[in-house]
Amino acid sequence: MPEVLLADFQVKRLEVLNEKGEADPELLPELSDAQIWRLYELMLLARIFDERAVALQREGRIGTYPPIRGQEAAQVGSAFALTKQDWLFPSFREMGAHLTLGYPIPQLLQYWGGDERSQKVPVGLNIFPFCVAVGSQIPQAAGAALAARYRRDPVAIVTYFGDGATSKGDFHEAMNLAGVFNLPLVFICQNNQWAISIPLKGQTASASLAQKAVAYGFEGVQVDGNDVFAVYRATGQAVAKARSGAGPTFIECLTYRMADHTTADDAGRYRSGEEVAFWAARDPILRLERFLERRGLWSPQKREEAAAQAAALVDAGVAEMEALPPPAATELFDEILATLTPRQAGQRKVR
Amino acid sequence: MPEVLLADFQVKRLEVLNEKGEADPELLPELSDAQIWRLYELMLLARIFDERAVALQREGRIGTYPPIRGQEAAQVGSAFALTKQDWLFPSFREMGAHLTLGYPIPQLLQYWGGDERSQKVPVGLNIFPFCVAVGSQIPQAAGAALAARYRRDPVAIVTYFGDGATSKGDFHEAMNLAGVFNLPLVFICQNNQWAISIPLKGQTASASLAQKAVAYGFEGVQVDGNDVFAVYRATGQAVAKARSGAGPTFIECLTYRMADHTTADDAGRYRSGEEVAFWAARDPILRLERFLERRGLWSPQKREEAAAQAAALVDAGVAEMEALPPPAATELFDEILATLTPRQAGQRKVR
Amino acid sequence: MAQLNMVQAINQALAQEMARDDRVLLLGEDVGRDGGVFRVTEGLLERFGRERVLDTPLCESGIMGAAIGMAAYGLRPVPEIQFLGFTYSAFEQLFAHAARLRSRSRGRYSCPMVVRTPYGGGIKAPELHEESTEALFCQVPGLKVVVPSGPYVAKGLLLAALRDPDPVLFLEPTRLYRLLREEVPEEEYLVELGKARVARPGSSVTVVAWGSMLERVLKAAEGYDAEVLDLLTLNPFDSEAIIASVRKTGRLVIVHEAAKTCGLGAEIAATVAEEAILHLRAPILRVTAPDVPVPLAKLIDHYLPGVQQIRTAIDDVLQY
Amino acid sequence: MAQLNMVQAINQALAQEMARDDRVLLLGEDVGRDGGVFRVTEGLLERFGRERVLDTPLCESGIMGAAIGMAAYGLRPVPEIQFLGFTYSAFEQLFAHAARLRSRSRGRYSCPMVVRTPYGGGIKAPELHEESTEALFCQVPGLKVVVPSGPYVAKGLLLAALRDPDPVLFLEPTRLYRLLREEVPEEEYLVELGKARVARPGSSVTVVAWGSMLERVLKAAEGYDAEVLDLLTLNPFDSEAIIASVRKTGRLVIVHEAAKTCGLGAEIAATVAEEAILHLRAPILRVTAPDVPVPLAKLIDHYLPGVQQIRTAIDDVLQY
Ligand SMILES: Cc1ncc(C[n+]2csc(CCOP(=O)(O)OP(=O)(O)O)c2C)c(N)n1
Ligand SMILES: Cc1ncc(C[n+]2csc(CCOP(=O)(O)OP(=O)(O)O)c2C)c(N)n1
Ligand SMILES: [Mg+2]
Ligand SMILES: [Mg+2]
């Protein structure tokens, strides 16, 4: 009758590839060498795209841009586990996921260039528009998952968000809906340990984000987010579970935002160079290179070649983006409603 | 390196008094017989107040009213652990807590009679107005706790809400703030297992509400909410902890809403008579009576006497409430702003 | 033809559209088992099952967000928010997402959904149960706002809203739910969105109203040669009909139960002051609630515009 | 006297009031260590410590709710919402609680707080960073809404807001943050809330504007005998000053960067059409953004009203 134990919850962390590039053979996902090389190429592409985007912003050729440096394993590894039938509800800092799913580079750049027209996601990709209002995409993903379940579509709905987003009511309400309706939904939290200047411990007192799933009655797991295999494995399991109707999963990818919050930010104001250096040494691309090297698949020259290829893709994307004519003023009125209101139509006429 | 255990969380349940009225001697709070009798009187008062309020509504003498029947132990037991210096942020269904703290009966009835003027909480009681927007009082309690901490006031801030409220973003944001700032805050969830027609399992997939605290890095505990000693003990510990600066606590009082959601509701539409009967047999007042009887403190006649006293108090309250003159139209403009805007002042003139 | 009240008319419209179109589904607090706190969705769970009528947890923002995701996926969700006063916490989803999904995705996704919610005062309910803040929503580009004034138009407007390709906020005047019965055809019919209805023709003053105020305006208009327009759609509102009437009458009174400042009456008045000022023979008067929060039951009748206030305004513009 | 930009003027007002009154404290995302994303609160954490300048988790509704609790407890919190577009999720707390706490408690509690937020367009930032939905808030009884148009008034208005016994929404036009410098006295001074300022006297047309539009209106007014009113407080707005000016000029143009429908321009026009119609010699024109969502950077200049549009409207009313 006294204090009784009501429940016991264990929260786990998945690691596959260590700093030295050694993989746990039991946990290493079944991926061919070609697939692993593809992961590497995509991570490099993400890195090079990101560097170029930052440079373009500095040159005034695009607008404010949020770098993904350091999060390539978390983004590429997770998106690699998806198919084009799955639905993706991103925040604004998962360009690595977009690239992995084949999102056109010019269009990504066009978005950060502030061009409305870029927001039309190509048909064939079930990706939602970038979402700047932190966390607000998460309940929308829950709705898509309800719809998919209603339609009996064997797809997974995936939503990305950051550590900061977990503080918002939207995250909570969506997690709760996912639990109650046992939705085919995968929550991928890019815990890059910062929300602009707020460090993780200023964001939550919980020791991990993974344990937040306990509140909603479904599985949460932390993965080493700089370990592309761990991310891929956890996501693969979660999407398979979702597609099979076995319910939602929350995945915390513990990673690090190596660059500024955006090009308008100066992270030097609020965090130490040592911390950044600590994480730079844990660069997810380096780690995969060490693994590949152990397998005899990598050399500095191979990197050069892959990087050159990626750079060429990005170059072409930049050129294509910059060749676009500026939008006309009437574009303001495009796709506002299926049919403009009389007042809108009148306003359009005088533009 | 493989799957590692990140953390282990145990969620506990506190029970002191069993159905037969036997108390665990180790856990029984240190309360004099007089105090225990006072608890009993307050629970009876809450019951009788509630019955009268429902009757008044049926007779058209007050408006829609949300009964508290079945929740007397959870409300009286928790409020009994507070002092008048503590701050209370209620929802709309804790009249038992109000009565325990000495809130005037006429004023409670006046509120449910739809009279603005009742909302002026008496000076000397740090109670916030009733809050109908479910959950929205919870972050406000977090703010008061921040203020109390800033002022170094050794007080506890307490907020009440239901199981339904735990689904709302406000609950989440406030719990998270409490964790991050280690606030002197006690969250008391009246889990009466229903939110209008939504049963607990339609509200959340988590096995208990207590485990929700895991997400925020602080202690959550379930108590038998029909056990006034368990509720008092848990609340007493939590408010002492808060006052001493040791941070927040979440208390789930597992109880049952024995009546309709409000007088406008018909619970027969959505729940079974058996369920209601099951819980009626677990009436918190009955249980305390059995305990008192074992101690030789109770008899049917003593109940009669106590009930008659409580009824007299309620009668007097009803009479006082009904003697109030109706509010004047200009009351619409009272206490809207410290100084009315010119437009408001003009509107007031023509009433 | 059956005599239905507004609750029945709305219920019938929902049932018919759900039967016709399997993309339509309902979600919200207590919409299933309980049939809604006003019984508007009564019987629909039994008829269409738990997958079409979803009882949700208590989370207005989550409900709205989920409806957006459903709509984008190809469904036509009908989220119910239990009272207009509880949409405030869903405002971000409604304003920044539902209304903008088409534009934010340049047409790749759209958001055909009908948000239903009881609206307005006069039912002697607790705080936040009698809000009439329609103008907040009329300000949102991309969102349509509709208010029926009786059972017949309720059914036709709701069917039109359910077939609209964009999001519609459907405000149901709570005071009218069971106040009046009208002949409501069993078969489907649409009342076009964006068009006002001449509720009563007249030639010396135009009175514009909607929702539960219409009934009071019609009472007040007795004995006057007043033209009463029932706006029906608040956004986009039928400025053409208003201006045509004002051209004829030269006088305009606008009646709404919301507070005055920045209410929809302001937009109507401003539109006329911009586009038809030469036709005005008197100031444009607004009869509204005062600029204070909606009070509790005992003061609500002092808050809502009454027949006498409307009459006074009509007299004022006529005698100007 | 120092030449300060608006960021510096606001920072100075905050610092001075915090030094004077220990009830004043700041909370919000990145307001501490980072000094705010626009550096408006720079140096205040260092000067006043972590208990007076609180870096919060990312939760706008929670921030607003917490500020209410602090205010009720006797403090004077200054919550910052990082951009106006992110207040939408805090709407319930602001609308149903902050603005009503005094009335809901019949004066037992009050809510003296100043919600600061960057506001308006023209900075080429991502979505929801350039909203100008002031009219949503002007509709809330119990909430004051203030918009400075330059560094001098920014300091004086903010100090007045910080001493106001009720909640004030203080909208800081982002485009102006560093656009202009003005002489700003070091010592404290108050600019009274609720009063408009004649930014430029004139006699043939009244132009009302606020915030970042004022600068454009002043440019547009060059060469005209236009009286330009800088509204400064949007709720309650200074209808007396507007009507007095319109009595003189007989013509009114209202300029705001928000979309037209249900913008604050509507309320101003409606008020004049109600109270001063006989003095009008021309329609009341509104120069506003179109009724579409605020676009991204490449279209923002097509969205915001420009000098030429304002001139055209002035010409139109003058030639009417
Ligand atoms: C609702 C909302 N509040 C504030 C902001 C401003 N803001 C943009 S990103 C950001 C931090 C987000 O942190 P996190 O969720 O960890 O994502 P990250 O930036 O690290 O990818 C903030 C505060 C916003 N965009 N949306
Ligand atoms: C934000 C909000 N949504 C909906 C409602 C309508 N409503 C009133 S009480 C209630 C259920 C609340 O359930 P719970 O939190 O468990 O409290 P209980 O009624 O059981 O005391 C609902 C949905 C409301 N008042 N506020
Ligand atoms: Mg982050
Ligand atoms: Mg409950």
Side-chain angles (χ1 to χ4, degrees), chain A residues 156-214:
Chain A
I157 314 295
V158 177
T159 177
Y160 284 94
F161 50 87
D163 43 302
T166 65
S167 298
K168 243 203 132 210
D170 285 315
F171 163 77
H172 174 72
E173 297 191 0
M175 289 282 282
N176 192 49
L177 286 170
V180 167
F181 293 110
N182 199 37
L183 296 178
L185 185 46
V186 182
F187 297 88
I188 304 186
C189 179
Q190 300 275 301
N191 177 2
N192 64 10
Q193 305 188 56
W194 289 91
I196 308 186
S197 74
I198 310 297
L200 190 60
K201 67 172 194 310
Q203 201 62 248
T204 182
S206 78
S208 72
L209 300 180
Q211 78 199 50
K212 290 186 183 283
V214 169

Side-chain angles (χ1 to χ4, degrees), chain B residues 147-189:
Chain B
R149 203 187 59 156
Y150 171 60
R151 287 301 189 201
R152 311 240 184 291
D153 292 339
V155 300
I157 314 297
V158 176
T159 177
Y160 283 94
F161 50 87
D163 43 302
T166 65
S167 299
K168 244 204 133 210
D170 285 315
F171 163 77
H172 174 72
E173 298 190 0
M175 289 283 283
N176 193 48
L177 286 169
V180 166
F181 293 111
N182 199 37
L183 296 178
L185 186 47
V186 181
F187 298 87
I188 304 186
C189 179

Side-chain angles (χ1 to χ4, degrees), chain B residues 55-264:
Chain B
L56 289 170
Q57 191 282 330
R58 300 281 181 237
E59 294 160 15
R61 292 157 71 186
I62 64 170
T64 307
Y65 171 83
I68 60 171
R69 189 181 192 89
Q71 302 183 216
E72 294 87 352
Q75 297 183 4
V76 171
S78 52
F80 203 72
L82 310 183
T83 71
K84 296 204 177 195
Q85 279 67 57
D86 298 321
W87 281 64
L88 196 87
F89 288 76
S91 82
F92 52 83
R93 198 195 298 282
E94 293 92 16
M95 278 69 80
H98 286 81
L99 291 169
T100 302
L101 289 165
Y103 203 97
I105 291 174
Q107 211 173 330
L108 284 178
L109 292 169
Q110 194 187 357
Y111 178 73
W112 295 111
D115 188 339
E116 301 308 307
R117 296 169 299 177
S118 68
Q119 293 183 296
K120 181 160 194 165
V121 172
V123 175
L125 287 178
N126 295 325
I127 302 183
F128 238 52
F130 287 100
C131 179
V132 166
V134 169
S136 57
Q137 75 279 19
I138 316 179
Q140 298 166 10
L146 272 165
R149 203 187 59 156
Y150 171 60
R151 287 301 189 201
R152 311 240 184 291
D153 292 339
V155 300
I157 314 297
V158 176
T159 177
Y160 283 94
F161 50 87
D163 43 302
T166 65
S167 299
K168 244 204 133 210
D170 285 315
F171 163 77
H172 174 72
E173 298 190 0
M175 289 283 283
N176 193 48
L177 286 169
V180 166
F181 293 111
N182 199 37
L183 296 178
L185 186 47
V186 181
F187 298 87
I188 304 186
C189 179
Q190 299 275 301
N191 178 2
N192 63 9
Q193 306 188 55
W194 289 91
I196 310 187
S197 72
I198 310 297
L200 190 59
K201 69 172 192 310
Q203 200 62 248
T204 181
S206 77
S208 71
L209 299 179
Q211 76 200 51
K212 289 186 183 284
V214 169
Y216 311 98
F218 62 87
E219 186 192 355
V221 61
Q222 187 183 79
V223 305
D224 179 341
N226 285 6
D227 167 351
V228 71
F229 295 135
V231 173
Y232 173 77
R233 185 186 168 87
T235 311
Q237 284 174 345
V239 297
K241 175 176 152 193
R243 290 188 199 116
S244 76
T249 311
F250 175 81
I251 302 175
E252 173 191 4
C253 299
L254 186 64
T255 177
Y256 191 76
R257 194 194 83 211
M258 279 164 57
D260 294 329
H261 169 71
T262 65
T263 49

